[in-house]
Amino acid sequence: MSRKQDKKISTDGGSELGSNPFGGLDLGGLPSGPAQSEAQPSKPAAKAPRKLGRVEVRREKAGRGGKTVTTLSAFATHLPLGQLDALCFDLKKSCACGGTLKGRVIELQGDVVQRVLPQLEAKGYQPVRAGG
């Protein structure tokens, strides 16, 4: 079997890497960078998330063969389904449970109401515990 000669470039700082490709550029006509002492506008404190509307969070068991399901419904109609699908994905991941989006209702497997409420508030929704 013949051995192929590998054409590898040494990375030990030899003569191949010794030249600076930008060393020959003329920087005379360029303006200087922004001064560090200039007063830059201060960033506002963490602004409150945008209000996305009221969401009903309900724990259901009826008609599901004895299995407990947490449903999130009554989303605002201006929210696109893609945003609801992304919210469903994030909630499933953070609650470590399965779930799905059926129409405009998010169904999460198990009783995860207490985990979902603070996450919805952080995302800008106004969660309301519905149905007892």
Side-chain angles (χ1 to χ4, degrees):
M1 212 193 276
S2 66
R3 289 190 172 178
K4 293 182 180 179
Q5 296 264 339
D6 290 336
K7 296 183 179 181
K8 294 182 181 178
I9 298 174
S10 173
T11 58
D12 61 357
S15 63
E16 295 88 20
L17 298 177
S19 66
N20 182 359
F22 303 106
L25 294 177
D26 180 27
L27 302 177
L30 295 176
S32 61
Q36 298 295 336
S37 62
E38 289 182 18
Q40 295 187 4
S42 61
K43 293 183 181 177
K47 67 177 189 177
R50 197 178 87 175
K51 297 295 180 189
L52 296 173
R54 181 173 181 257
V55 177
E56 294 179 0
V57 180
R58 179 178 286 125
R59 188 180 134 248
E60 296 179 0
K61 202 171 179 182
R64 301 183 186 273
K67 307 285 184 178
T68 303
V69 175
T70 302
T71 60
L72 286 72
S73 60
F75 286 99
T77 56
H78 64 81
L79 295 174
L81 287 177
Q83 187 173 355
L84 294 180
D85 194 30
L87 175 65
C88 179
F89 180 78
D90 291 341
L91 290 174
K92 288 190 310 184
K93 206 168 194 182
S94 61
C95 294
C97 66
T100 187
L101 176 67
K102 290 185 177 176
R104 296 188 66 81
V105 177
I106 295 176
E107 295 182 357
L108 300 173
Q109 295 173 357
D111 185 6
V112 292
V113 175
Q114 296 303 321
R115 294 184 205 163
V116 167
L117 291 175
Q119 292 177 13
L120 286 173
E121 287 177 0
K123 291 184 183 289
Y125 295 94
Q126 182 184 1
V128 175
R129 181 104 194 245

